[in-house]
Every structure is written in structure tokens, then in C-alpha cells.
Amino acid sequence: MPAPPAPTTDLTLDRSLLRTLESLAIAARRQASGHERGERSSSRAGSGIAFAGHRAYAAGDDLRFLDWQAFARSDRLYVKQYEEELDLSVHLLLDCSGSMATNDGAKFRYAQQLAAALGYIALSNLDRVAVQPYAEQPRARLAPLRGRNRALLLLRYLSAQRADGSTDLLRAAKAVCAHESRGGVALVLSDGLSSESLLEGVDQLRYGRLSPVVLLITDPRDAEPALRGEVTLVDRESGRERTLLITERTLARYREHYHEHLRDLAHALWARHVTALTLSVSTPFERSVLELLRRGGVVS
Amino acid sequence: MRLLGLDAPTLALTLLVACGTIVWLYLNKRPPQRAVVPALALWEALLPAAERPRSARRRALEAPPLWLALAIALVLIFALADPVPSARAPARHLLIAIDRSASMAAHDVAPSRLSAVKARARALIEALPAHDNVALVAVDRGAVPLTSFTTDRARLLRALDAIRTRGEPGDLLPVSALAIDLLTPLPRGQLVLFSDGNLEHADEARAALAAHPSLQVRHVAIGHSARNVAITRFALRRYPLDPTHQESLLALQNFGDQREPLRLSVRAAGGLLYEESLTLEPHQRLTRTLADLPSGGARLTAELALASGPDALAGDDRASVALPARPRTRVLAVSRDDRYLDAALLLDDSLEVSALAPDAYTSAAGFDVVIFDGVLPATPANVAALYLGPLGPGALPLARGALVEQPFFDRVDKQHPLLRELTLGDVNVARAVTLQLAPGDLAIAESAAQHGQRVPLIVEGSRGGLPFLALAFDLRESDLPLRAAFPLFVLRALDRLASRGGASASEPLVEGPPSRAGAIAPRAELFGRAPKGELAPTRAARDGQRWWPLLIGLALGLLVLEWLAFQRRWSA
């Protein structure tokens, strides 16, 4: 029988953390392809101030962009092109499955807090932030928000989420891709215990022109459970039970298997050129996590 | 394989109950701890892929600890059954004889020779192969079988524990005859005698056994000291003429090989009657007569105190004896003032004498004996009667004939208790009446034949269950009252008629081992044969035959395995 879902939490970000977050920005591997003006350069030639290059003049081009100096040197008409600065779509995919609620929901609270911080970073950089919580099915999506003044709404939305049920990132990824056609960054916050579903979802995000970044939230208690003797293990998501005789040797094998699972998952993500970062709930959030995110290239 | 402990039905029942209890306990054990995990698949990856989920009942039945517990119970219960392998060699028949004669009470071997012998016999019984048949015999004057041939060691040990010393010397001949009778027809018969060797008829027994060379005999000797001084006899008797006093005979003997200075003391009711310091040479026998001891039913106790300390057998250093108080006899004397008779009756203070004139007599009811002195009752006496001079008219159990002048004691039955040691040959009698004896009557003194027939002078008989004695002449017409034999005759006659036994009998009352123990010198070898083979198997052979130590070891091994596997979690 599955355990009851973890209770909702009130998310807060203290003032010093906010100041730190405001100085950061979500790193994007691809150039921004938003549809509103923002602070990120894009491949689109437009009305920006950064010079992008020349192209031959075609009838109908704005004569203001003709490069007369080039015409004087080459006796041909060229039009100067500039990079247009657009916003970035940041999609936060929050794993709300039951496995995130084990050990008093430490992983889920951590993921909520991390999602809030990343969302605030994006909002501070005039990026569009959308949140897609998911379990076995995608849950009600938070439509894209823009501007720092929407941070409170983001926090409230994240606080209202509850961890329950099984995991299926693929369905959530399809839902995100259905709403996003211009690409952007998809930040997946999960414990990564359902690796097959996670990889399928990541692939789906890649096919949807999104740059997925996987943040694996781990809890040391998952790797070192305080279990000895004959124990009936209950799966948090499916409710399945299994009685095992747990010995020191069993624990050692489990520990080895758990870390091997995370390593395999990370290797699979790297093979897909997907940034993957493992974050432990035991790491102090304000200092170490942001440092890790910066080192991992998640934020810049 | 045979079971020497639990029999097969008990074994099966015990197994059933134990295994049922263990299975029930496992089925009803506390359910395992429940723990919620984020991903059960990670744990399941550790298990064999073919393993399928099972029900709790099936899991319990398939649990290794359950099977280990059942195996341990099985092994322990099997050990209780004490299995032994079937005999490979033919079984022996051992007749174990335990000497329980008086000398086995000697304590030169602590705590006593018998206790030491029992301990050695117990060790032998426990060490014997399980299939050997053993019978137990106690040896004293005879050979007393305590068990039949059996393999039941517990029964043998119980019989062995019950053996106590007997206050009599031992005899080797009966047990030798028993061994020949029992063991000769049986295969591999063997007599094992546990004894100090102090047994009578050893030579005869050895000769009897020598005729059966196939019969193995073995003597397990005990004891090392021969030092013993014993009271070999302690008797007491009353003086016939003065029952108020008694005399005692005391015999001592030194059975050892060294001189023994000692102090002999005799006590009665706490008071010292006699004490003497003396020295007994080796094997010397000594007697002491203690005269004029007061009589009163008190117990006399004689005790030896050896100057060089207690000897090996303390039980015969002390002996007690007592004469029971004589019962009172009520006597009615119907007489015409016979002072001689009165004087004789005064000699025994156990007599309650009532005198009665002949005219006043009507009945002797309420008395034990009535004396008719020179008179006869009108009707036959209704109690035992002594007739002295039945010459006058009256009722007499005997028919009377003619008077005989000057008879004399021509034939006296000296063996008769009444006349033993009495001198009657020179008694003068003026006349006597001829008494006609009826069948069953006995003339214990007669006069020579006159007119062709002998004249009974003293006749003993019985009528209607009432004894009587008749003296055929009147005391006043004889000098018998002047003789020393007269009071003895009267008192013996009264004792005999009152059926209270002789005045001189003593009844010894002995405490502890009797003084007849005598020699206790141990003998190393009674049979004079070299023993063949081992009496009991070696320890290694014995351990190899009994499986229960191995089974206990196996159970312990399983326990260790269970501890390693499920307490130290060594298996997973």
C-alpha cells in the first residue's frame, strides 16, 4: 500500500539569497529563440545592437541597413545584419512522484526549493518560466511567467505541489513540447530512480528543440537505509512489497548498486550531451548548491 | 542400530510434539519490520531473477532458520534416544558380584570399601558396550541375584546403589556355583567379583572354577589395611539361682599383624561397669567374664578404644547386649504351710505368689499356674498345674494305681530342660503312687520296675490344652526339699508351665556391624588366574560406540551455523 503523500510546504527565499540569485542567469547552450525582446542574443537578425554580419541586398530591404562603405570598396550592395536580443524559455519539470517523498520528503522539499531558486533566476533575467510538475501523468502546468514580479506566484505554485504516485517523464516532456515550439531550456528536477522513464523524457525534450538539464536530487538515506534483519520493503510509488533478510552484506551490495545506478544514468545523459548534475539534500542549499550549479554550467 | 534411551514410540511422540511446536512458533512469529523505500526495484535487482513472491506461510516454511531449528531438535531428540550401532561382536555376559560382607564396611578406603567398590562397578557398567548383558549379584553368606541379565544400565545402577553391607562374613563358594550355573551355557561368560577378598571357602571356590576354564573370572580387589580389633562375642545371662543378677561373656580378637594396646570399657545406662587397659598380640583372642552385674533390663555396651587410633573397621569396636525383663507369673500355691516350697518360690522375684489353704480353694481362675502341694482339687484345675504328692482324694489328670514303697530315681531324663544339671539319684522317697500315663504323657523320671512295671515319679502332660506336671510322691515323705535341686526344679517347673522360657537365655542386641566381621585383611587375587582381555573397552572405543556425543556435537555445530548465518548475518 503506498504511503500517504508528503504534505505541502511553504517555500521562502531569504533576502540575501535573492540578491545572489539576481546576479545569476540560466545558461543556455543554444541561442535564444524567444518571441519577445529579452536580454539574450539570438540568431535572428533584427533590431539589436550586436553586429551579426552582411548579406547581399535584396529588393525590399530597408535602405537604412545598407553598408555604404562596403559598397564603396566592392561596388556591391550589402545589408548589415544585427543579432536580435530575445528572451529564453525556461521549463522547470518537477518530479512529484512518491519516491521524492521518502525520508520525510527531504528530496521533494529540496527540489521545490531548487526549482524556486532557478525560476527566480530566470524571472530576474526576463526569461519566461513555465513549471510542469509530473508524476505518472503531467499535472496542471504553470503557464509561462515573465518578470521578477511574478516570483511570488511561482513560489506559491511550487509550494502547492505534492509528491505522490509513480513517475513518467516522457508524458510530461510531450506535454512541454506541445506547448513550446521555439525551444529553450528544460530543467528536470528528479531523484532519477526511474532511469528508463527519465531517459525517454530527456530524449523527447531534445527532439522538441529543448535543451534538457537534469538535476538529480539524492538523499544519503536512500543509499544508506537503516535497515537490518528481516524487513518487508514497501515500494513508495507502487505499493509493492517484498520481504528480505537484510544483512551487512546485503546493504553493501545495495549501496554499490544504488551508486552504480546513478553513475549509469549520468553516463547515459552525458552520452546524449545532456548536462546532469547530482545534488545531495545534505548539501547546504544557499552556498554549496548554487556553487555546484554554477560549476555544472546550469547557471552563469 | 539400537536405542538405549527413549523407545521408538516415545521417540516418535517427542519428535512430533517438538517439531509441531517449532513449526507453530515459526508460523506465529512476529511479522517482519516494514519499511517504505523509494524504489523497490533497486532491492529486487539484488535477488535472483527467478525468485517469485511467496505467501507468508510459505516463506516461514521455507525459512532456513526453521529448518535449522527442526534439524537441531531432531538431532537432540535422537541423542536422547541414545542410539548405538548394532553389535558387531557377540555380546558378553557379565556377572558382576559385589561383596557386601561385614569386612566391606572397613574404611581404609574412603569412605568405605563398599562405597569404593560401588563406584568402580558403576564406572565399569557405564563403560561397557551397550550390547553386553550384565547381571548383578550381592555376595555375603550366599549369592543374592539383584538383577537378571540385562542391557538396561539404569536398572543395574539402581540395584547397585541399593547395596548395603551385611553383618556377616562373605562366602565365595555360593557365587562361584552361581557363576558356573549361569555363565557356562552362555557365550563369552565372565564373572567379575568386586571384593576385598576376605571370603570364606576361597580354596573350594577356586577349585570349582578351575574345572571350567572357558569361564573367565576376574577379581577387582579393594582395601589395603588388615588392622582390626573386634569384639567377637558379647553375651549376657541371668544367674539361674539369682535372676536379679547376670553375668556377661566378652570375647576380643586382634585380627591385625601388630600389637594393639587398648582400653576396654563396659557401660550400662551411662554408668561405667567395667574398664580395663590391655594389649592384644597379633591374632590373639581374649575373653573376659563380667560377674555379678545388676540385672534390670538395661542395655550393656562394650567399647574398645585403641591407643594407636581407630582401626579400619570401627563397627566391631562396639557392641551392645540386653536381656529383656522377665514377665510376671501369677502363682496360686494351695498348700498346708510348706516352708520349703515357700522358700523356693521366694527365690524368683518375678513370681506373684498367692497362698491358699486347701479348704479355701475353689478355682484358680486369674492365675497362670496353680500348685497343689499334698492335696488335690475337687475338680480338675482350669489353669496349668503342678501336682506335688497327689496321694489324697481329688481330681488328677492322671489315673492312679497302687502305692509303691521306697521308690528311687532310677532313670532321669537328663536332657529334659526341667531336669538338666539336677542331681536326683540319691533322693529318698518313702512311698509314691503309681501314675497311669495317657497317650502323649511323658515320664521324665522313673523308679525301677516293681511288680513288673516301672513307676513314673515325674510326669509331664497336657489335658485340654492345659499343661501339668505331677510329682508322684508327697514332699513331706521325701528328702527332696532338703536338696539343692528342689528350688531349681520348682522354678523351672513354673517357668515351663507358664511358657516363659528358660531363665538363663540371653538375647544379644547388637548395634552397627556385628562383631563377627573379624579379619579384614584384603587379598589381591582370589582366583589365581591372569585376566584375559580388557574388562571394559577403551575410552576411544566406547565413544565410538555411543553416538549421542556425536549427535550433541552435531546439534552444537548446527547452533553455531545458525548463529553465523542469522545472528552474524554471514549467509547473505
Side-chain angles (χ1 to χ4, degrees):
Chain A
M1 179 177 180
T8 57
T9 54
D10 291 331
L11 282 176
T12 57
L13 299 173
D14 62 38
R15 193 171 297 278
S16 62
L17 179 61
L18 289 177
R19 277 198 294 273
T20 306
L21 297 177
E22 285 168 3
S23 64
L24 299 175
I26 302 296
R29 288 190 174 180
R30 299 178 184 174
Q31 285 187 310
S33 56
H35 45 75
E36 294 184 36
R37 295 184 66 83
E39 297 181 347
R40 295 175 183 273
S41 61
S42 69
S43 58
R44 190 190 309 175
S47 56
I49 57 175
F51 175 72
H54 293 88
R55 70 171 173 81
Y57 173 78
D61 285 341
D62 192 344
L63 295 178
R64 290 178 296 171
F65 295 108
L66 277 174
D67 188 348
W68 299 107
Q69 291 178 348
F71 175 72
R73 285 195 298 271
S74 62
D75 199 20
R76 290 183 182 180
L77 289 174
Y78 291 97
V79 177
K80 288 193 283 189
Q81 289 187 315
Y82 297 89
E83 291 182 351
E84 189 174 18
E85 292 182 334
L86 298 176
D87 60 353
L88 176 68
S89 291
V90 177
H91 296 273
L92 297 170
L93 286 88
L94 178 62
D95 185 356
C96 295
S97 64
S99 64
M100 297 288 285
T102 52
N103 298 325
D104 302 328
K107 286 186 294 186
F108 188 64
R109 280 197 305 276
Y110 198 88
Q112 284 175 302
Q113 208 166 7
L114 191 58
L118 293 170
Y120 186 79
I121 292 171
L123 291 177
S124 300
N125 289 282
L126 294 179
D127 291 332
R128 286 184 298 120
V129 177
V131 181
Q132 178 60 69
Y134 70 95
E136 67 271 32
Q137 293 289 341
R139 293 184 181 172
R141 174 172 176 262
L142 177 65
L145 306 175
R146 196 159 187 270
R148 194 183 305 166
N149 56 349
R150 309 304 298 275
L152 189 58
L153 180 62
L154 174 66
L155 292 181
R156 283 179 182 165
Y157 176 80
L158 289 173
S159 297
Q161 297 307 312
R162 302 191 329 161
D164 191 14
S166 59
T167 314
D168 192 350
L169 179 61
L170 179 60
R171 290 179 178 174
K174 287 179 178 175
V176 169
C177 292
H179 288 95
E180 184 59 68
S181 59
R182 294 177 179 272
V185 176
L187 297 170
V188 180
L189 296 93
S190 171
D191 55 8
L193 294 179
S194 300
S195 57
E196 189 177 350
S197 160
L198 182 68
L199 292 174
E200 289 174 354
V202 165
D203 289 341
Q204 180 63 40
L205 292 171
R206 292 171 62 217
Y207 301 150
R209 300 181 59 197
L210 287 168
S211 299
V213 174
V214 178
L215 303 176
L216 295 173
I217 315 298
T218 62
D219 188 337
R221 287 173 288 182
D222 285 351
E224 299 277 356
L227 300 175
R228 294 292 186 281
E230 196 175 16
V231 182
T232 297
L233 301 175
V234 183
D235 189 89
R236 181 65 174 78
E237 296 185 359
S238 66
R240 286 191 305 114
E241 294 185 359
R242 185 87 184 209
T243 300
L244 295 179
L245 187 63
I246 298 178
T247 65
E248 291 292 344
R249 192 173 168 188
T250 312
L251 276 181
R253 287 173 56 199
Y254 169 78
R255 193 162 48 241
E256 184 182 346
H257 181 65
Y258 176 83
H259 292 303
E260 186 180 342
H261 167 80
L262 291 181
R263 278 196 304 274
D264 290 347
L265 181 58
H267 288 152
L269 291 171
W270 292 338
R272 290 168 168 79
H273 304 288
V274 172
T275 301
L277 194 60
T278 302
L279 302 169
S280 171
V281 297
S282 61
T283 308
F285 183 80
E286 288 79 3
R287 291 188 305 177
S288 305
V289 172
L290 293 178
E291 181 65 24
L292 280 171
L293 288 174
R294 188 179 289 144
R295 278 193 206 166
V298 179
V299 295
S300 58
Chain B
M1 183 183 67
R2 294 182 304 154
L3 304 179
L4 299 182
L6 298 178
D7 53 9
T10 310
L11 181 66
L13 182 64
T14 310
L15 268 177
L16 191 66
V17 171
C19 294
T21 304
I22 290 172
V23 170
W24 184 85
L25 288 173
Y26 262 80
L27 291 179
N28 292 277
K29 70 175 183 178
R30 191 176 170 187
Q33 167 194 358
R34 293 172 66 85
V36 176
V37 294
L40 186 59
L42 291 178
W43 292 96
E44 288 176 328
L46 305 177
L47 301 174
E51 192 174 347
R52 296 185 301 276
R54 297 164 298 170
S55 66
R57 181 175 298 271
R58 185 143 185 89
R59 267 202 316 275
L61 287 173
E62 292 178 3
L66 171 60
W67 290 113
L68 271 178
L70 288 175
I72 291 169
L74 184 70
V75 168
L76 286 178
I77 293 170
F78 196 48
L80 275 180
D82 196 4
V84 293
S86 300
R88 298 187 191 93
R92 287 189 300 178
H93 289 82
L94 265 72
L95 185 65
I96 296 180
I98 306 295
D99 182 1
R100 63 175 179 183
S101 61
S103 63
M104 293 297 285
H107 49 79
D108 54 336
V109 180
S112 71
R113 289 181 181 179
L114 182 65
S115 298
V117 150
K118 284 161 72 173
R120 293 172 70 171
R122 167 179 283 273
L124 170 64
I125 290 172
E126 289 175 344
L128 285 174
H131 59 275
D132 276 359
N133 288 291
V134 182
L136 197 62
V137 177
V139 177
D140 41 44
R141 277 199 185 280
V144 182
L146 301 178
T147 69
S148 57
F149 280 109
T150 179
T151 57
D152 185 350
R153 301 296 186 252
R155 182 180 162 207
L156 288 166
L157 295 178
R158 281 197 302 274
L160 179 68
D161 289 340
I163 295 177
R164 302 286 182 269
T165 51
R166 300 286 293 270
E168 57 190 41
D171 194 334
L172 185 57
L173 202 52
V175 71
S176 302
L178 182 67
I180 291 169
D181 291 344
L182 287 179
L183 297 176
T184 305
L186 297 174
R188 305 188 69 198
Q190 188 168 355
L191 168 66
V192 183
L193 173 64
F194 288 88
S195 169
D196 58 4
N198 206 330
L199 298 172
E200 297 175 354
H201 302 113
D203 295 336
E204 293 90 329
R206 192 180 300 119
L209 290 169
H212 301 274
S214 63
L215 178 63
Q216 288 194 46
V217 291
R218 187 184 296 262
H219 173 211
V220 180
I222 192 77
H224 54 76
S225 174
R227 183 169 169 258
N228 185 35
V229 179
I231 300 174
T232 55
R233 190 173 180 196
F234 191 24
L236 192 64
R237 71 165 187 171
R238 291 190 179 89
Y239 289 115
L241 295 180
D242 183 9
T244 60
H245 285 75
Q246 56 194 2
E247 66 177 357
S248 172
L249 175 67
L250 193 59
L252 315 176
Q253 186 166 358
N254 178 8
F255 293 95
D257 298 326
Q258 62 187 52
R259 298 175 77 242
E260 293 286 359
L262 57 90
R263 178 176 295 274
L264 168 66
S265 60
V266 179
R267 298 174 185 275
L272 183 64
L273 295 180
Y274 177 81
E275 190 172 39
E276 179 185 4
S277 293
L278 50 96
T279 297
L280 286 177
E281 297 299 325
H283 305 289
Q284 180 187 358
R285 179 178 169 83
L286 190 71
T287 58
R288 286 287 183 272
T289 301
L290 310 180
D292 289 331
L293 300 174
S295 173
R299 175 186 299 187
L300 298 189
T301 300
E303 195 167 4
L304 300 176
L306 276 61
S308 54
D311 56 14
L313 188 59
D316 57 8
D317 294 347
R318 180 186 171 93
S320 295
V321 67
L323 282 176
R326 304 184 72 213
R328 312 289 293 177
T329 302
R330 292 161 298 177
V331 178
L332 176 62
V334 182
S335 172
R336 294 192 188 91
D337 194 17
D338 187 339
R339 293 183 181 276
Y340 293 102
L341 180 61
D342 292 345
L345 294 176
L346 285 174
L347 289 175
D348 190 345
D349 58 1
S350 67
L351 299 178
E352 291 180 5
V353 180
S354 299
L356 197 64
D359 298 338
Y361 173 78
T362 55
S363 170
F367 290 90
D368 299 313
V369 182
V370 58
I371 302 174
F372 294 106
D373 178 19
V375 298
L376 287 174
T379 58
N382 50 356
V383 297
L386 172 61
Y387 298 97
L388 301 174
L391 303 181
L396 183 69
L398 299 164
R400 289 175 286 179
L403 291 174
V404 178
E405 297 294 330
Q406 294 183 341
F408 56 93
F409 286 87
D410 177 47
R411 189 193 65 82
V412 176
D413 185 357
K414 292 286 188 181
Q415 299 303 317
H416 195 278
L418 197 60
L419 302 182
R420 191 180 300 156
E421 299 168 348
L422 296 186
T423 301
L424 298 174
D426 57 350
V427 172
N428 297 302
V429 179
R431 59 175 184 162
V433 66
T434 304
L435 301 174
Q436 308 290 332
L437 274 62
D441 294 342
L442 177 65
I444 56 176
E446 293 174 320
S447 177
Q450 291 188 10
H451 309 296
Q453 65 177 26
R454 300 186 69 83
V455 179
L457 295 180
I458 303 175
V459 177
E460 183 182 44
S462 174
R463 295 289 184 273
L466 297 174
F468 70 89
L469 275 169
L471 191 65
F473 54 89
D474 192 336
L475 295 176
R476 296 163 192 80
E477 297 177 350
S478 148
D479 60 357
L480 178 61
L482 303 178
R483 305 299 177 112
F486 175 68
L488 286 176
F489 170 75
V490 171
L491 294 180
R492 287 180 181 178
L494 291 178
D495 281 339
R496 191 165 178 82
L497 290 171
S499 304
R500 60 177 195 173
S504 62
S506 66
E507 299 178 17
L509 222 171
V510 180
E511 285 183 343
S515 57
R516 288 174 298 185
I520 61 166
R523 294 176 64 179
E525 177 52 55
L526 273 178
F527 301 120
R529 292 197 213 174
K532 296 176 183 175
E534 290 294 330
L535 189 56
T538 62
R539 173 182 286 270
R542 189 172 66 249
D543 290 347
Q545 286 174 336
R546 304 301 282 267
W547 286 354
W548 67 264
L550 295 176
L551 291 171
I552 296 294
L554 178 61
L556 288 174
L558 287 173
L559 272 177
V560 171
L561 180 65
E562 194 272 344
W563 180 79
L564 284 174
F566 302 105
Q567 310 303 323
R568 293 291 297 172
R569 309 300 186 195
W570 160 76
S571 60

